[in-house]
Amino acid sequence: MTLLTDAEASKYWNERHQQETDLRSGGDISFDEATNYMFYLRRLTMLMDRVGLQNNPVAPLYLLDAGCGKGYFSRELAKFGHQVDGIDGSEAAIAHCRELGGGPRYHRTTLSGWRTPWLYDVVFTVDVLFHILDDAEWERSTRNLASLVRLGGKLIVGDWGEDGDHVYGNYQVVRGRDRYLPLLDACGMRFDGWEPYRFRRSPIGLYTFTRIG
Amino acid sequence: MLIHELLPLVGDAQSVVEVSQSGDALRELLRAPAASAYRAYVPDGEKMDAGTVVVAFLGPKPEAHIDAETVAPALRELPVGGRALLLLGWPVPELPYHRLLDELVTAGLQVLQVVPLDKVSRHGAHCAVLAARVDRLAPLRTHLSDAPLDLAGEAPDLRALLRLTGEYVFGDLLSRPLRRNLAAAGDRIKEQDERIRALEKEIAARDATIAKAESRLARARNDLADLRASTTFRIGNTVVQGARRPTRGIVSVPVGLVRIWRKRGTPGERPGPQS
Ligand SMILES: C[S@@+](CC[C@H](N)C(=O)[O-])C[C@H]1O[C@@H](n2cnc3c(N)ncnc32)[C@H](O)[C@@H]1O
């Protein structure tokens, strides 16, 4: 099966965000809205474990939700008192996020193209990198996200935990440990572990890396 | 973070040495465990060891806080592995940490974490410094980390130090325009305050002028009413009316004059406010 081009993939996401319900549009399209709600909550608690259970209004944590879709994780994490930037390539998704408000600041940009004078305590990208089908763009995106993590900060990546790549349909290429670990090690990131979502039969989970150099 | 979460963060403290002489106040705030010996600092007194934590409350109020110089001798007595937990009574955005940092560095302590605190209104401590006496760099800690200190962990390597200095240099660069913008915003607020005060003065002066004009007007109206009511005015008026209409005047002037003569001495009707 031939994979979508970058332009086709971004058109696909923009239309999906316009047509689909809130959670199905950025979640798992094979599940209904209620199941997606469970799926989102499961991943939110996994993010909480990694971001930590402390907050402070005077000196908050700064988070980047890379590929935020309709902004569920951005909004929920902002409710905990964190300052969240959400970025996504889809105009429709960003418009939806801005309409809902709730604290985060949203920017329409690709993962590889996001530039800011500020580093983040945590950069997370939930189920986005395996939608970047072009290897070079995937690598540029991963490197760019790592560069935005401050010393001691975390990079959290949703992808599968095996070695090797695997293609699902025409719009998903999951990449495994043998891709992420060497690339991010070279970026000064320590691999802390991978934990599966343990949601139905999802092969995906969260990689956690800490910047140590 | 809550103030009583701080001592567990410092790690197992066998003895706590307080420099601020708060009586029991600081000990109670920190909820020092009964297992750890808590004592007041005496210069060159009981020897400190790696299990010692020096605690103090520093801040802007001399009656409640001590300053960096006062805590310094105790810091210098800490051996390698000894730790310091210093509460600071300044709001985080205004924290004048330079003096304290001087003393910490001079005493060979590494600042490991500065923790912003909750419930400031209850105890007045805005944040707390966790520091340790080291003979090599201790592992770096993250903002809001609540894992207990681990001084024995791997020291940051050259790459981490390059990263650290790089982040510092960029951070320093970027903080400069922010600082400038903040100062400019402060100036603008001050200017606006002054302008508001000047306008308020102007309004008060105008109010006073209006009040004066109103009282002058009221006085003039009263004078006019009194004048209209006076016998002289009314006689003059009757004569003028008669002169204007000589045919009717032959009869009406004497009749009017008689009426006025009879009513003389009784006050005339005052004109209404709209007259
Ligand atoms: C499966 S959705 C996940 C959305 C969100 N993380 C969530 O879990 O709700 C994938 C998102 O990634 C975005 N995306 C895909 N490739 C991107 C790229 N190269 N740069 C920015 N966003 C991208 C899409 O627009 C889409 O919103």
Side-chain angles (χ1 to χ4, degrees):
Chain A
M1 181 174 292
T2 50
L3 294 170
L4 300 180
T5 64
D6 279 358
E8 285 166 343
S10 87
K11 186 164 173 280
Y12 166 81
W13 281 110
N14 211 40
E15 285 172 4
R16 179 163 153 177
H17 283 311
Q18 279 166 323
Q19 287 155 10
E20 281 298 335
T21 49
D22 280 5
L23 299 181
R24 261 167 62 92
S25 81
D28 189 324
I29 201 146
S30 58
F31 297 142
D32 62 13
E33 192 71 1
T35 310
N36 264 297
Y37 186 55
M38 290 191 253
F39 188 34
Y40 268 93
L41 273 184
R42 158 64 54 87
R43 291 174 297 164
L44 178 64
T45 55
M46 289 177 75
L47 286 176
M48 286 169 68
D49 287 341
R50 285 154 181 78
V51 171
L53 303 179
Q54 293 281 341
N55 68 2
N56 185 272
V58 178
L61 290 173
Y62 285 85
L63 315 181
L64 177 67
D65 182 354
C68 60
K70 283 188 174 165
Y72 174 87
F73 294 121
S74 295
R75 278 188 302 280
E76 293 304 314
L77 288 158
K79 282 184 199 160
F80 303 152
H82 307 314
Q83 289 287 310
V84 187
D85 281 342
I87 59 169
D88 201 281
S90 159
E91 196 174 352
I94 292 296
H96 181 91
C97 289
R98 287 190 178 139
E99 214 173 290
L100 288 183
R105 291 176 188 86
Y106 296 101
H107 310 269
R108 187 186 167 210
T109 171
T110 59
L111 266 47
S112 63
W114 177 230
R115 300 285 181 271
T116 163
W118 303 109
L119 300 179
Y120 296 92
D121 297 297
V122 179
V123 172
F124 61 93
T125 181
V126 178
D127 302 354
V128 181
L129 284 175
F130 57 79
H131 288 296
I132 299 181
L133 310 172
D134 177 66
D135 270 347
E137 180 60 10
W138 165 83
E139 185 173 330
R140 272 196 297 277
S141 303
T142 308
R143 279 185 187 279
N144 192 44
L145 294 187
S147 76
L148 289 161
V149 179
R150 64 176 304 121
L151 191 64
K154 289 193 171 99
L155 174 65
I156 300 166
V157 174
D159 213 322
W160 86 338
E162 320 249 327
D163 276 336
D165 300 357
H166 188 86
V167 177
Y168 289 95
N170 66 350
Y171 76 109
Q172 298 182 71
V173 179
V174 295
R175 298 173 182 90
R177 286 170 190 252
D178 57 340
R179 294 284 217 131
Y180 285 106
L181 271 54
L183 174 63
L184 289 168
D185 180 61
C187 294
M189 311 292 294
R190 182 188 66 214
F191 171 60
D192 293 331
W194 177 85
E195 191 192 346
Y197 290 161
R198 281 189 296 273
F199 192 83
R200 303 284 182 97
R201 302 192 57 220
S202 173
I204 309 298
L206 292 183
Y207 284 92
T208 308
F209 298 89
T210 300
R211 174 168 292 289
I212 54 164
Chain B
M1 197 170 288
L2 298 167
I3 203 160
H4 66 259
E5 290 180 290
L6 291 171
L7 263 183
L9 199 59
V10 175
D12 57 324
Q14 273 124 41
S15 60
V16 179
V17 177
E18 189 196 323
V19 189
S20 5
Q21 296 177 328
S22 69
D24 279 336
L26 190 52
R27 178 192 196 144
E28 280 166 14
L29 276 178
L30 295 171
R31 295 197 200 157
S36 61
Y38 196 100
R39 65 176 197 269
Y41 173 65
V42 180
D44 296 313
E46 199 177 321
K47 217 166 154 24
M48 298 185 192
D49 58 26
T52 304
V53 179
V54 167
V55 299
F57 200 154
L58 290 82
K61 297 180 192 151
E63 67 282 9
H65 305 134
I66 62 166
D67 56 20
E69 285 92 315
T70 313
V71 78
L75 299 178
R76 285 191 220 117
E77 282 184 42
L78 275 171
V80 170
R83 284 146 289 166
L85 167 58
L86 308 172
L87 303 182
L88 303 185
W90 293 276
V92 171
E94 299 162 18
L95 191 64
Y97 62 88
H98 48 100
R99 279 296 299 119
L100 177 60
L101 185 59
D102 261 0
E103 299 299 354
L104 288 165
V105 173
T106 304
L109 272 81
Q110 180 181 345
V111 176
L112 297 161
Q113 198 172 344
V114 184
V115 185
L117 295 173
D118 298 338
K119 304 204 168 148
V120 174
S121 60
R122 201 169 68 79
H123 46 64
H126 293 259
C127 63
V129 178
L130 307 186
R133 176 77 194 275
V134 291
D135 53 5
R136 49 157 218 151
L137 277 181
L140 303 171
R141 294 172 63 79
T142 55
H143 182 52
L144 299 187
S145 164
D146 56 6
L149 293 189
D150 173 23
L151 300 180
E154 220 171 88
D157 62 6
L158 178 64
R159 184 166 182 130
L161 294 179
L162 294 177
R163 181 79 204 183
L164 193 64
T165 51
E167 282 189 11
Y168 172 78
V169 172
F170 280 112
D172 181 48
L173 177 73
L174 291 169
S175 70
R176 285 163 196 272
L178 284 182
R179 191 171 166 177
R180 194 200 54 204
N181 289 350
L182 205 63
D187 290 346
R188 270 200 305 279
I189 288 170
K190 225 162 97 187
E191 246 171 52
Q192 279 168 355
D193 279 352
E194 275 163 21
R195 177 117 185 81
I196 287 168
R197 268 197 299 276
L199 286 173
E200 278 171 347
K201 254 191 202 164
E202 215 174 281
I203 289 169
R206 280 185 197 181
D207 282 351
T209 314
I210 289 170
K212 259 190 218 157
E214 273 174 353
S215 80
R216 269 208 309 275
L217 187 64
R219 250 184 285 129
R221 279 187 183 137
N222 285 346
D223 290 349
L224 184 65
D226 289 345
L227 182 66
R228 283 208 174 122
S230 73
T231 310
T232 329
F233 173 83
R234 287 162 76 196
I235 290 172
N237 199 29
T238 307
V239 172
V240 169
Q241 296 300 328
R244 277 196 190 142
R245 280 166 282 175
T247 44
R248 281 184 61 202
I250 295 167
V251 182
S252 64
V253 169
V255 172
L257 288 176
V258 168
R259 222 181 270 140
I260 290 165
W261 182 251
R262 284 199 183 131
K263 277 188 162 178
R264 76 192 188 280
T266 60
E269 204 182 311
R270 283 274 170 104
Q274 302 305 327
S275 65

